[in-house]
Amino acid sequence: MVLDLSSNAYFRLNEMGIEIWRKIEDGADEESIVDDLTNKYDAERSQIAGDVRGFIEGLETAGLIVSGRVENSQ
């Protein structure tokens, strides 16, 4: 479970969500998360990459993480 202290909302994570969350906490980037999960699970890399991207976007939308991606401001 993840708790958003600003809203007191709880988020329940499944097994893969917990793995992704822990990897984010450890400082892993999205590509390395996808690599690790592709090696662990019997699924297509494209499917795992889409799932990881969707999960990260959900965390960002909920305000639980802030993306480290740099936007080009020019």
Side-chain angles (χ1 to χ4, degrees):
M1 252 192 217
V2 175
L3 170 63
D4 179 355
L5 294 175
S6 64
S7 68
N8 291 323
Y10 286 91
F11 298 87
R12 183 176 300 269
L13 304 178
N14 63 20
E15 181 181 336
M16 189 175 284
I18 292 168
E19 282 192 68
I20 296 169
W21 180 264
R22 287 183 178 149
K23 290 177 184 308
I24 291 169
E25 282 185 317
D26 290 341
D29 64 11
E30 187 171 338
E31 190 70 21
S32 65
I33 294 170
V34 171
D35 288 342
D36 289 347
L37 295 177
T38 300
N39 290 329
K40 182 172 183 176
Y41 293 99
D42 183 27
E44 293 292 324
R45 180 180 176 73
S46 60
Q47 177 65 46
I48 291 174
D51 291 347
V52 169
R53 170 81 328 243
F55 183 78
I56 290 172
E57 286 175 353
L59 294 175
E60 291 170 341
T61 299
L64 296 172
I65 63 170
V66 177
S67 174
R69 291 176 287 174
V70 177
E71 301 292 329
N72 186 352
S73 60
Q74 296 180 4

